[in-house]
Amino acid sequence: MDNSKLRSYIDAMQEASHLLTRENPDYLVAPMVGSVPFIDVMAIIDRDFDPTKVVYMPASSRIANVNKVIRAWYTNFLEDIIEVPDRFPKVMGIDEVVSGGSVVRCVR
């Protein structure tokens, strides 16, 4: 049995996890539908990955009025995390990018 595809997947997940661990964001924003298994795998294969920093956001095209929901979500998220006016928390985003639609919605 050829395990090369599985090994390639694991290597990619380890590299993504190591990058996030090195960058050490205060929050890691991830779309809630597709990214859950992605985050779970990183937590399984890398003991240094901290899944408690992940904040899942609604970015799925399955959500009615998703752009309006995203805008309200970001407003609430930023209001909640900005506790010290002179220090903006380090926020990173991650997505599994199957189609890229949720990434585009989030950036806009």
Side-chain angles (χ1 to χ4, degrees):
M1 181 165 132
D2 181 17
N3 291 329
S4 63
K5 288 182 182 180
L6 179 59
R7 182 77 252 163
S8 176
Y9 175 75
I10 291 170
D11 290 345
M13 294 296 96
Q14 285 177 323
E15 182 58 32
S17 176
H18 292 160
L19 177 122
L20 293 169
T21 300
R22 276 192 313 270
E23 291 296 320
N24 194 27
D26 296 308
Y27 298 94
L28 180 61
V29 177
M32 70 169 70
V33 176
S35 293
V36 172
F38 190 61
I39 299 299
D40 288 348
V41 168
M42 287 191 289
I44 291 167
I45 63 174
D46 183 358
R47 71 177 77 151
D48 294 327
F49 179 77
D50 184 0
T52 64
K53 293 182 176 186
V54 179
V55 180
Y56 292 101
M57 64 167 300
S60 173
S61 59
R62 297 180 215 164
I63 298 171
N65 299 314
V66 68
N67 291 330
K68 186 176 179 179
V69 171
I70 290 171
R71 194 172 304 113
W73 183 91
Y74 268 119
T75 299
N76 292 334
F77 173 67
L78 292 173
E79 286 175 354
D80 287 347
I81 67 168
I82 300 175
E83 298 170 2
V84 180
D86 59 340
R87 182 191 177 275
F88 192 84
K90 186 174 185 178
V91 178
M92 291 182 70
I94 192 165
D95 194 359
E96 82 289 357
V97 187
V98 173
S99 69
S102 59
V103 171
V104 172
R105 280 190 290 280
C106 293
V107 170
R108 285 186 183 157

